[in-house]
Amino acid sequence: MLGAKQEKQTLSHDIVIVGGGLVGASLGCALAPLIERYGWRVAIIEAAALPENSQETPWQPSFDTRASAIAEGSAQRFRQLGVWEAMQQEAAPIERIHISERGRLGAARLSAKELGVAALGHVIPNAWMGRVLHQQLQRLPIEWYCPAKVDQLTPQAYGHHLVLSDGRELTAALTILADGGRSGLKEQLGISSRHHSYEQTALIAHVGVSQPHQGVAYERFTAEGPIALLPLPGQAMELVWTHASGADQARLALSDRAFLHQLQTAFGDRVGRFTRVGQRFSYPLSLVTAEEPVRPGLAVLGNAAHALHPVAGQGFNLALRSVMDLVEALEQGAQHQRSLGDMPTLLAFEQRRARDRANVIRFSDGLVRLFGYSLPLLPHARAAGLIGLNLIGPLRRGLARRAMGLER
Protein backbone atom coordinates (compact mmCIF):
# COMPACT_ATOMS: atom_id res chain seq x y z
CA MET A 1 0.00 0.00 0.00
CA LEU A 2 1.32 3.44 -0.92
CA GLY A 3 2.34 5.49 2.07
CA ALA A 4 2.46 2.48 4.37
CA LYS A 5 5.59 2.11 6.52
CA GLN A 6 7.80 -0.54 4.95
CA GLU A 7 9.51 -3.10 7.17
CA LYS A 8 13.27 -2.62 7.24
CA GLN A 9 15.13 -5.38 5.41
CA THR A 10 18.12 -7.10 7.02
CA LEU A 11 20.76 -8.15 4.50
CA SER A 12 22.47 -11.48 5.13
CA HIS A 13 26.18 -12.09 4.46
CA ASP A 14 28.64 -14.87 5.09
CA ILE A 15 31.56 -12.54 5.86
CA VAL A 16 31.53 -8.83 6.64
CA ILE A 17 34.85 -6.96 6.78
CA VAL A 18 34.66 -3.76 8.82
CA GLY A 19 37.31 -1.47 7.33
CA GLY A 20 38.43 -1.17 3.71
CA GLY A 21 41.97 0.05 4.38
CA LEU A 22 45.13 -1.87 3.55
CA VAL A 23 44.35 -4.80 5.87
CA GLY A 24 40.66 -5.09 5.01
CA ALA A 25 41.34 -4.72 1.28
CA SER A 26 44.11 -7.34 1.44
CA LEU A 27 41.70 -9.73 3.15
CA GLY A 28 39.05 -9.12 0.49
CA CYS A 29 41.56 -9.97 -2.24
CA ALA A 30 42.80 -13.05 -0.37
CA LEU A 31 39.24 -14.37 -0.07
CA ALA A 32 38.75 -14.39 -3.85
CA PRO A 33 39.38 -18.15 -4.41
CA LEU A 34 37.03 -19.07 -1.54
CA ILE A 35 34.31 -16.72 -2.78
CA GLU A 36 34.47 -18.44 -6.16
CA ARG A 37 34.67 -21.95 -4.71
CA TYR A 38 31.99 -21.71 -2.02
CA GLY A 39 29.84 -18.85 -3.26
CA TRP A 40 30.31 -16.87 -0.06
CA ARG A 41 28.61 -13.50 0.10
CA VAL A 42 31.24 -11.02 1.31
CA ALA A 43 30.84 -7.33 2.12
CA ILE A 44 33.20 -4.52 3.13
CA ILE A 45 32.08 -1.58 5.28
CA GLU A 46 34.25 1.51 4.91
CA ALA A 47 33.80 4.87 6.65
CA ALA A 48 35.75 6.95 4.12
CA ALA A 49 34.28 7.82 0.75
CA LEU A 50 36.11 6.01 -2.05
CA PRO A 51 36.42 6.98 -5.72
CA GLU A 52 33.50 5.72 -7.79
CA ASN A 53 35.91 3.94 -10.09
CA SER A 54 39.44 3.70 -8.75
CA GLN A 55 40.60 2.08 -11.98
CA GLU A 56 39.76 5.20 -13.96
CA THR A 57 40.75 7.69 -11.25
CA PRO A 58 44.39 8.62 -11.86
CA TRP A 59 46.74 8.17 -8.94
CA GLN A 60 48.40 11.49 -8.23
CA PRO A 61 51.85 10.82 -6.76
CA SER A 62 52.49 13.23 -3.89
CA PHE A 63 55.69 14.04 -2.07
CA ASP A 64 53.63 14.02 1.13
CA THR A 65 52.15 10.53 0.72
CA ARG A 66 52.96 8.10 3.54
CA ALA A 67 54.72 4.86 2.67
CA SER A 68 55.13 1.40 4.23
CA ALA A 69 58.08 -0.96 4.38
CA ILE A 70 56.97 -4.25 2.86
CA ALA A 71 59.09 -7.23 3.86
CA GLU A 72 60.10 -9.72 1.20
CA GLY A 73 57.76 -12.27 2.76
CA SER A 74 54.88 -9.82 2.32
CA ALA A 75 55.88 -9.27 -1.30
CA GLN A 76 55.59 -13.02 -1.82
CA ARG A 77 52.10 -12.96 -0.30
CA PHE A 78 51.08 -10.10 -2.59
CA ARG A 79 52.31 -12.21 -5.50
CA GLN A 80 49.89 -14.91 -4.36
CA LEU A 81 47.08 -12.33 -4.48
CA GLY A 82 48.04 -11.33 -8.03
CA VAL A 83 48.76 -7.68 -7.17
CA TRP A 84 52.52 -7.54 -6.78
CA GLU A 85 53.32 -6.76 -10.41
CA ALA A 86 51.23 -3.59 -10.20
CA MET A 87 52.49 -2.64 -6.72
CA GLN A 88 56.08 -3.00 -7.82
CA GLN A 89 55.67 -0.16 -10.32
CA GLU A 90 55.95 2.39 -7.48
CA ALA A 91 58.12 0.35 -5.09
CA ALA A 92 61.68 1.11 -4.05
CA PRO A 93 63.67 -2.04 -3.15
CA ILE A 94 65.61 -2.19 0.10
CA GLU A 95 68.93 -3.72 -0.92
CA ARG A 96 70.83 -3.01 2.28
CA ILE A 97 70.08 -2.07 5.88
CA HIS A 98 72.45 -0.01 8.02
CA ILE A 99 71.89 0.07 11.81
CA SER A 100 73.95 2.35 14.04
CA GLU A 101 73.95 4.40 17.23
CA ARG A 102 74.99 8.03 17.23
CA GLY A 103 78.30 8.58 19.01
CA ARG A 104 79.25 4.88 18.96
CA LEU A 105 81.46 2.94 16.58
CA GLY A 106 79.30 -0.19 16.47
CA ALA A 107 77.15 -0.77 13.40
CA ALA A 108 75.31 -3.66 11.81
CA ARG A 109 74.89 -4.11 8.08
CA LEU A 110 72.58 -6.46 6.23
CA SER A 111 72.47 -7.01 2.48
CA ALA A 112 70.13 -8.78 0.10
CA LYS A 113 73.13 -10.28 -1.71
CA GLU A 114 74.36 -11.92 1.49
CA LEU A 115 70.95 -13.51 2.07
CA GLY A 116 70.55 -14.60 -1.53
CA VAL A 117 67.41 -12.56 -2.22
CA ALA A 118 66.66 -9.83 -4.74
CA ALA A 119 65.67 -7.38 -1.98
CA LEU A 120 65.33 -7.32 1.81
CA GLY A 121 62.04 -5.54 1.39
CA HIS A 122 60.30 -2.76 -0.53
CA VAL A 123 58.98 0.69 0.33
CA ILE A 124 55.64 1.52 -1.30
CA PRO A 125 53.40 4.60 -0.93
CA ASN A 126 50.25 3.62 0.94
CA ALA A 127 48.09 5.44 -1.61
CA TRP A 128 49.49 3.28 -4.40
CA MET A 129 49.04 0.06 -2.44
CA GLY A 130 45.46 1.07 -1.72
CA ARG A 131 44.75 1.83 -5.35
CA VAL A 132 46.16 -1.51 -6.56
CA LEU A 133 44.20 -3.48 -3.95
CA HIS A 134 40.96 -1.65 -4.72
CA GLN A 135 41.39 -2.22 -8.44
CA GLN A 136 41.68 -5.91 -7.67
CA LEU A 137 38.60 -5.79 -5.43
CA GLN A 138 36.54 -4.26 -8.24
CA ARG A 139 36.98 -7.50 -10.16
CA LEU A 140 35.48 -9.54 -7.32
CA PRO A 141 31.81 -10.06 -6.37
CA ILE A 142 32.21 -8.15 -3.09
CA GLU A 143 29.54 -5.73 -1.88
CA TRP A 144 30.51 -2.31 -0.54
CA TYR A 145 28.75 -0.23 2.09
CA CYS A 146 30.56 3.07 1.74
CA PRO A 147 30.71 5.60 3.22
CA ALA A 148 29.21 3.96 6.29
CA LYS A 149 30.13 3.11 9.87
CA VAL A 150 28.97 0.37 12.18
CA ASP A 151 26.93 1.99 14.94
CA GLN A 152 25.94 -1.25 16.65
CA LEU A 153 27.52 -4.69 16.57
CA THR A 154 25.55 -7.31 18.47
CA PRO A 155 26.33 -11.03 18.88
CA GLN A 156 23.54 -13.40 17.94
CA ALA A 157 23.07 -17.17 17.70
CA TYR A 158 25.05 -17.54 14.47
CA GLY A 159 27.30 -14.54 14.01
CA HIS A 160 26.55 -10.86 14.51
CA HIS A 161 23.91 -8.26 13.73
CA LEU A 162 25.23 -4.94 12.41
CA VAL A 163 23.43 -1.60 12.31
CA LEU A 164 25.08 0.91 9.98
CA SER A 165 25.20 4.69 10.25
CA ASP A 166 23.02 5.00 7.13
CA GLY A 167 20.28 2.91 8.77
CA ARG A 168 20.90 -0.34 6.91
CA GLU A 169 21.11 -3.57 8.90
CA LEU A 170 23.21 -6.64 8.14
CA THR A 171 23.89 -10.05 9.56
CA ALA A 172 27.17 -11.92 9.17
CA ALA A 173 28.24 -15.44 10.05
CA LEU A 174 31.77 -14.05 10.45
CA THR A 175 32.63 -10.42 11.15
CA ILE A 176 36.21 -9.18 10.75
CA LEU A 177 37.24 -6.02 12.58
CA ALA A 178 39.95 -4.42 10.44
CA ASP A 179 39.07 -0.80 11.14
CA GLY A 180 42.06 0.27 13.24
CA GLY A 181 42.26 0.82 16.95
CA ARG A 182 39.94 3.80 17.35
CA SER A 183 36.53 2.68 16.11
CA GLY A 184 35.18 1.76 19.54
CA LEU A 185 33.69 -1.53 18.30
CA LYS A 186 36.04 -3.61 20.45
CA GLU A 187 34.96 -1.63 23.50
CA GLN A 188 31.32 -1.98 22.51
CA LEU A 189 31.79 -5.75 22.54
CA GLY A 190 33.71 -5.69 25.82
CA ILE A 191 37.03 -6.74 24.26
CA SER A 192 39.76 -5.17 26.35
CA SER A 193 43.32 -4.46 25.23
CA ARG A 194 46.67 -4.43 26.95
CA HIS A 195 48.08 -0.95 26.52
CA HIS A 196 51.63 0.24 27.15
CA SER A 197 52.53 3.79 26.19
CA TYR A 198 56.12 4.32 25.12
CA GLU A 199 55.71 8.02 25.95
CA GLN A 200 57.06 8.67 22.48
CA THR A 201 55.73 10.21 19.28
CA ALA A 202 56.70 9.36 15.71
CA LEU A 203 57.22 12.30 13.36
CA ILE A 204 56.63 11.24 9.74
CA ALA A 205 57.67 13.05 6.56
CA HIS A 206 59.20 12.53 3.15
CA VAL A 207 62.60 14.13 2.64
CA GLY A 208 64.72 14.72 -0.42
CA VAL A 209 68.42 13.79 -0.38
CA SER A 210 71.31 15.18 -2.39
CA GLN A 211 72.76 11.85 -3.49
CA PRO A 212 71.29 8.51 -4.60
CA HIS A 213 70.31 6.38 -1.60
CA GLN A 214 71.26 3.19 -3.52
CA GLY A 215 68.48 1.22 -1.89
CA VAL A 216 69.87 1.54 1.65
CA ALA A 217 67.50 1.77 4.64
CA TYR A 218 68.91 3.35 7.78
CA GLU A 219 68.05 2.86 11.45
CA ARG A 220 69.95 5.43 13.53
CA PHE A 221 69.57 5.38 17.32
CA THR A 222 70.09 8.76 19.00
CA ALA A 223 69.67 10.11 22.52
CA GLU A 224 66.33 11.65 21.46
CA GLY A 225 65.04 8.48 19.83
CA PRO A 226 65.57 6.34 16.70
CA ILE A 227 65.62 7.88 13.23
CA ALA A 228 64.60 5.62 10.34
CA LEU A 229 65.14 6.54 6.70
CA LEU A 230 63.59 4.30 4.05
CA PRO A 231 64.36 4.52 0.32
CA LEU A 232 61.67 5.82 -2.03
CA PRO A 233 61.74 6.05 -5.85
CA GLY A 234 64.12 8.78 -6.97
CA GLN A 235 66.24 10.77 -4.53
CA ALA A 236 63.68 10.75 -1.71
CA MET A 237 63.30 8.87 1.55
CA GLU A 238 60.61 8.23 4.12
CA LEU A 239 61.56 9.69 7.52
CA VAL A 240 60.31 8.23 10.81
CA TRP A 241 61.79 10.28 13.66
CA THR A 242 60.90 9.21 17.19
CA HIS A 243 60.60 11.87 19.90
CA ALA A 244 59.70 11.96 23.55
CA SER A 245 56.00 12.80 23.86
CA GLY A 246 55.51 16.52 23.30
CA ALA A 247 58.99 17.14 21.92
CA ASP A 248 57.72 16.65 18.38
CA GLN A 249 55.53 19.76 18.50
CA ALA A 250 58.45 22.16 18.35
CA ARG A 251 59.83 20.42 15.26
CA LEU A 252 56.43 20.35 13.59
CA ALA A 253 56.34 24.14 13.95
CA LEU A 254 59.81 24.75 12.46
CA SER A 255 60.33 26.18 9.01
CA ASP A 256 61.43 23.64 6.41
CA ARG A 257 64.96 25.03 6.45
CA ALA A 258 65.27 24.88 10.24
CA PHE A 259 63.78 21.38 10.34
CA LEU A 260 66.22 20.06 7.73
CA HIS A 261 69.13 21.63 9.62
CA GLN A 262 68.13 19.85 12.85
CA LEU A 263 67.63 16.57 11.00
CA GLN A 264 71.07 16.89 9.40
CA THR A 265 72.65 17.50 12.79
CA ALA A 266 70.89 14.51 14.36
CA PHE A 267 71.41 12.02 11.52
CA GLY A 268 74.70 13.03 9.95
CA ASP A 269 75.70 12.95 6.28
CA ARG A 270 75.36 9.27 5.31
CA VAL A 271 72.76 10.21 2.68
CA GLY A 272 74.39 13.51 1.76
CA ARG A 273 72.42 16.70 2.41
CA PHE A 274 68.70 16.78 3.12
CA THR A 275 67.28 19.05 0.41
CA ARG A 276 63.53 19.27 1.08
CA VAL A 277 60.80 18.03 3.38
CA GLY A 278 57.16 17.29 2.71
CA GLN A 279 54.25 17.71 5.09
CA ARG A 280 55.12 16.69 8.64
CA PHE A 281 52.71 14.95 10.96
CA SER A 282 53.01 12.84 14.10
CA TYR A 283 51.21 10.19 16.14
CA PRO A 284 51.72 8.73 19.64
CA LEU A 285 53.43 5.36 20.00
CA SER A 286 52.08 2.55 22.13
CA LEU A 287 52.15 -1.22 22.31
CA VAL A 288 48.52 -2.36 22.15
CA THR A 289 47.31 -5.96 21.93
CA ALA A 290 43.70 -7.14 22.00
CA GLU A 291 42.95 -9.59 24.81
CA GLU A 292 40.49 -11.57 22.66
CA PRO A 293 41.52 -11.51 18.99
CA VAL A 294 38.86 -14.12 18.24
CA ARG A 295 35.36 -14.86 19.51
CA PRO A 296 32.55 -16.96 18.02
CA GLY A 297 31.78 -15.31 14.69
CA LEU A 298 34.43 -12.61 15.16
CA ALA A 299 38.11 -12.03 14.35
CA VAL A 300 40.18 -8.90 14.99
CA LEU A 301 42.96 -7.97 12.53
CA GLY A 302 45.48 -5.21 11.89
CA ASN A 303 45.82 -2.27 14.27
CA ALA A 304 42.58 -3.30 15.92
CA ALA A 305 44.42 -6.45 17.07
CA HIS A 306 47.90 -5.06 17.67
CA ALA A 307 49.70 -1.73 17.39
CA LEU A 308 53.50 -1.85 17.46
CA HIS A 309 56.37 0.60 17.71
CA PRO A 310 57.56 1.38 14.14
CA VAL A 311 61.24 0.87 15.03
CA ALA A 312 61.33 -2.55 13.33
CA GLY A 313 58.78 -1.77 10.60
CA GLN A 314 56.78 -4.92 11.31
CA GLY A 315 53.20 -3.71 11.90
CA PHE A 316 51.64 -4.16 8.46
CA ASN A 317 53.78 -7.20 7.66
CA LEU A 318 52.47 -8.92 10.80
CA ALA A 319 48.91 -7.95 9.84
CA LEU A 320 49.30 -9.36 6.32
CA ARG A 321 50.50 -12.68 7.70
CA SER A 322 47.39 -12.70 9.89
CA VAL A 323 45.23 -12.13 6.80
CA MET A 324 46.75 -15.07 4.95
CA ASP A 325 46.59 -17.36 8.00
CA LEU A 326 42.92 -16.50 8.54
CA VAL A 327 42.06 -17.33 4.94
CA GLU A 328 43.93 -20.63 5.23
CA ALA A 329 42.05 -21.47 8.45
CA LEU A 330 38.70 -20.62 6.81
CA GLU A 331 39.54 -22.84 3.85
CA GLN A 332 40.42 -25.75 6.13
CA GLY A 333 37.21 -25.19 8.07
CA ALA A 334 35.17 -25.23 4.87
CA GLN A 335 36.85 -28.44 3.75
CA HIS A 336 35.73 -30.02 7.04
CA GLN A 337 32.24 -28.57 6.50
CA ARG A 338 32.43 -26.35 9.56
CA SER A 339 30.21 -23.29 9.71
CA LEU A 340 31.85 -19.93 9.14
CA GLY A 341 32.85 -18.31 12.40
CA ASP A 342 32.89 -21.44 14.54
CA MET A 343 35.39 -21.40 17.39
CA PRO A 344 37.47 -24.47 16.42
CA THR A 345 38.35 -22.75 13.13
CA LEU A 346 39.08 -19.39 14.76
CA LEU A 347 41.04 -20.94 17.61
CA ALA A 348 43.20 -22.82 15.11
CA PHE A 349 43.87 -19.48 13.43
CA GLU A 350 44.71 -17.76 16.71
CA GLN A 351 47.01 -20.52 17.90
CA ARG A 352 49.00 -20.18 14.70
CA ARG A 353 49.17 -16.40 15.05
CA ALA A 354 50.09 -16.29 18.75
CA ARG A 355 53.72 -17.36 18.36
CA ASP A 356 54.44 -15.10 15.40
CA ARG A 357 52.81 -12.14 17.13
CA ALA A 358 54.72 -12.76 20.38
CA ASN A 359 58.05 -13.01 18.51
CA VAL A 360 57.47 -9.76 16.61
CA ILE A 361 56.35 -7.90 19.73
CA ARG A 362 59.34 -9.21 21.67
CA PHE A 363 61.70 -8.13 18.89
CA SER A 364 60.32 -4.61 18.33
CA ASP A 365 59.66 -3.91 22.01
CA GLY A 366 63.12 -5.21 22.89
CA LEU A 367 64.75 -2.78 20.45
CA VAL A 368 62.84 0.14 21.98
CA ARG A 369 63.86 -0.83 25.49
CA LEU A 370 67.47 -1.62 24.60
CA PHE A 371 68.09 1.72 22.88
CA GLY A 372 65.73 3.71 25.08
CA TYR A 373 67.76 3.56 28.27
CA SER A 374 70.90 5.57 29.07
CA LEU A 375 72.43 3.65 31.96
CA PRO A 376 76.21 4.28 32.36
CA LEU A 377 77.50 1.03 30.84
CA LEU A 378 74.60 0.22 28.51
CA PRO A 379 75.79 2.30 25.51
CA HIS A 380 79.06 0.33 25.48
CA ALA A 381 77.12 -2.93 25.59
CA ARG A 382 74.91 -1.77 22.71
CA ALA A 383 77.95 -0.83 20.65
CA ALA A 384 79.53 -4.20 21.32
CA GLY A 385 76.25 -5.87 20.41
CA LEU A 386 76.08 -4.06 17.08
CA ILE A 387 79.68 -4.98 16.31
CA GLY A 388 79.00 -8.58 17.30
CA LEU A 389 75.88 -8.72 15.14
CA ASN A 390 77.93 -7.46 12.22
CA LEU A 391 80.56 -10.17 12.77
CA ILE A 392 78.35 -13.19 13.51
CA GLY A 393 76.95 -14.06 10.10
CA PRO A 394 74.48 -16.84 11.01
CA LEU A 395 72.86 -14.79 13.81
CA ARG A 396 72.57 -11.75 11.56
CA ARG A 397 71.09 -13.77 8.74
CA GLY A 398 68.62 -15.51 11.06
CA LEU A 399 67.34 -12.21 12.45
CA ALA A 400 67.11 -10.76 8.95
CA ARG A 401 65.09 -13.68 7.56
CA ARG A 402 62.67 -13.41 10.48
CA ALA A 403 62.29 -9.66 9.93
CA MET A 404 61.68 -10.34 6.23
CA GLY A 405 58.79 -12.62 7.11
CA LEU A 406 60.49 -15.63 5.54
CA GLU A 407 60.72 -17.42 8.90
CA ARG A 408 58.56 -17.27 12.04
Side-chain angles (χ1 to χ4, degrees):
M1 180 184 299
L2 292 176
K5 184 177 180 180
Q6 294 184 349
E7 185 177 347
K8 188 174 294 185
Q9 182 182 10
T10 300
L11 303 172
S12 176
H13 297 79
D14 296 295
I15 299 175
V16 168
I17 303 168
V18 183
L22 294 180
V23 175
S26 297
L27 176 59
C29 292
L31 285 170
L34 304 187
I35 294 172
E36 181 178 359
R37 188 174 306 143
Y38 299 108
W40 288 345
R41 187 177 181 185
V42 177
I44 298 178
I45 302 170
E46 170 55 42
L50 300 174
E52 291 185 5
N53 190 333
S54 62
Q55 195 161 6
E56 294 180 358
T57 302
W59 178 67
Q60 299 294 335
S62 167
F63 187 64
D64 301 321
T65 303
R66 291 179 61 184
S68 293
I70 302 301
E72 179 59 25
S74 295
Q76 292 181 6
R77 291 170 179 88
F78 279 138
R79 289 187 185 97
Q80 292 176 335
L81 302 186
V83 297
W84 181 244
E85 184 176 353
M87 281 192 182
Q88 204 171 14
Q89 295 174 17
E90 296 293 335
I94 299 174
E95 298 177 10
R96 289 177 290 158
I97 297 176
H98 185 282
I99 307 169
S100 63
E101 183 175 10
R102 183 170 177 77
R104 303 289 166 185
L105 295 177
R109 297 172 177 84
L110 308 171
S111 73
K113 183 178 180 180
E114 175 189 8
L115 295 171
V117 294
L120 297 170
H122 310 263
V123 184
I124 311 176
N126 288 354
W128 181 252
M129 280 200 293
R131 180 188 175 194
V132 171
L133 288 168
H134 281 273
Q135 286 179 349
Q136 184 78 348
L137 286 173
Q138 283 190 351
R139 304 183 183 101
L140 304 177
I142 290 178
E143 299 173 55
W144 282 85
Y145 297 89
C146 174
K149 296 181 180 180
V150 179
D151 285 344
Q152 295 179 30
L153 181 59
T154 308
Q156 57 182 24
Y158 299 99
H160 286 77
H161 180 259
L162 301 89
V163 179
L164 306 189
S165 55
D166 59 12
R168 285 181 287 186
E169 298 185 13
L170 316 176
T171 60
L174 175 61
T175 301
I176 313 293
L177 298 186
D179 55 343
R182 300 180 182 178
S183 72
L185 291 178
K186 286 191 303 180
E187 290 74 12
Q188 188 181 125
L189 292 170
I191 298 176
S192 59
S193 296
R194 294 186 296 275
H195 188 284
H196 169 70
S197 173
Y198 289 114
E199 298 184 355
Q200 294 178 334
T201 302
L203 189 156
I204 312 293
H206 282 196
V207 292
V209 290
S210 64
Q211 62 188 37
H213 51 61
Q214 297 180 327
V216 181
Y218 295 90
E219 188 81 54
R220 178 87 159 146
F221 292 94
T222 74
E224 290 184 284
I227 300 175
L229 283 171
L230 305 175
L232 292 169
Q235 288 185 203
M237 306 191 82
E238 171 95 345
L239 168 69
V240 183
W241 193 353
T242 304
H243 294 70
S245 293
D248 59 304
Q249 295 303 310
R251 286 209 167 100
L252 288 171
L254 290 173
S255 67
D256 288 357
R257 182 176 180 180
F259 178 85
L260 292 173
H261 174 74
Q262 290 193 13
L263 175 60
Q264 196 81 59
T265 301
F267 185 80
D269 59 1
R270 283 186 171 85
V271 294
R273 308 301 299 175
F274 294 105
T275 59
R276 59 174 180 157
V277 59
Q279 181 181 358
R280 289 162 266 164
F281 55 97
S282 64
Y283 62 93
L285 300 178
S286 299
L287 173 60
V288 181
T289 52
E291 295 279 9
E292 296 178 84
V294 296
R295 278 184 175 182
L298 184 79
V300 186
L301 296 182
N303 283 344
H306 44 70
L308 310 179
H309 197 288
V311 64
Q314 289 298 305
F316 178 69
N317 297 292
L318 179 63
L320 186 59
R321 293 199 293 275
S322 297
V323 164
M324 303 304 285
D325 281 353
L326 177 59
V327 171
E328 183 176 340
L330 294 178
E331 182 172 20
Q332 291 176 353
Q335 290 172 352
H336 290 86
Q337 297 183 337
R338 296 174 183 160
S339 60
L340 270 172
D342 76 334
M343 277 306 284
T345 297
L346 295 178
L347 284 175
F349 157 70
E350 171 53 20
Q351 287 169 2
R352 179 167 184 171
R353 295 306 315 140
R355 181 179 178 182
D356 185 25
R357 182 172 60 243
N359 286 337
V360 170
I361 290 174
R362 191 181 303 115
F363 175 57
S364 59
D365 188 57
L367 280 178
V368 176
R369 295 178 186 277
L370 175 63
F371 288 93
Y373 294 115
S374 297
L375 300 177
L377 298 178
L378 194 55
H380 301 287
R382 290 194 297 250
L386 287 174
I387 293 173
L389 181 61
N390 202 43
L391 294 175
I392 304 172
L395 175 60
R396 184 173 71 252
R397 289 190 290 271
L399 289 174
R401 289 187 65 82
R402 176 169 291 179
M404 291 162 61
L406 299 176
E407 296 178 1
R408 302 189 188 184

